[in-house]
Every structure is written in C-alpha cells, then in structure tokens.
Amino acid sequence: WDNVNTQMMMDELMGHLEDVNMTYFAHMKRAFSLSFRYGLSAVQLMIHGLLPFLFIDAGKKAADSYERG
C-alpha cells in the first residue's frame, strides 16, 4: 500500500502543479510568500481588534491582497 499511496500523492501533486503551471520550487516559493503575507495580515487584524486605532486599513489591505493573489 505504501507504493500505491505514494504514487497517488505524487500524481495529485503533479496534477496540481500542472494546473497552476508552476514548478515545484516556484510553487513552494509562492506558497511561502503568501503564507507570510497572510500571517502578517492576521497578526495586524488581531491587534486592530484589540486596539482599533492601529492598522485601521489592515482588513481592506488583506482583502485586496487576497484578490490580487
């Protein structure tokens, strides 16, 4: 079963990379970049929730950034 599961995972991975037209490392770089950007937005929004006078436009910027991808 290990070889079957490994092959299924590789097929799914390669299919996704083909769908987004990216290499493994380009995809990894993009995913890490988005992860960092959205993680920072999450922190800013939590701070804004506690202190509304800080990061006033953090929600809009996060949404705009998400739409741009």
Side-chain angles (χ1 to χ4, degrees), residues 2-67:
D2 287 336
N3 288 340
V4 172
N5 288 337
T6 301
Q7 186 60 45
M8 288 172 59
M9 286 189 332
M10 289 303 293
D11 289 345
E12 286 187 38
L13 168 68
M14 296 310 293
H16 174 62
L17 294 177
E18 289 172 4
D19 291 344
V20 296
N21 194 30
M22 298 179 94
T23 66
Y24 178 82
F25 290 106
H27 183 271
M28 182 172 55
K29 180 180 175 184
R30 179 75 172 145
F32 285 4
S33 172
L34 289 174
S35 159
F36 178 77
R37 184 186 328 166
Y38 298 145
L40 180 59
S41 292
V43 171
Q44 288 177 338
L45 286 166
M46 285 187 271
I47 293 170
H48 175 71
L50 294 169
L51 305 168
F53 53 88
L54 295 177
F55 303 113
I56 293 169
D57 57 353
K60 181 177 178 353
K61 284 184 178 179
D64 290 348
S65 174
Y66 182 78
E67 287 178 10

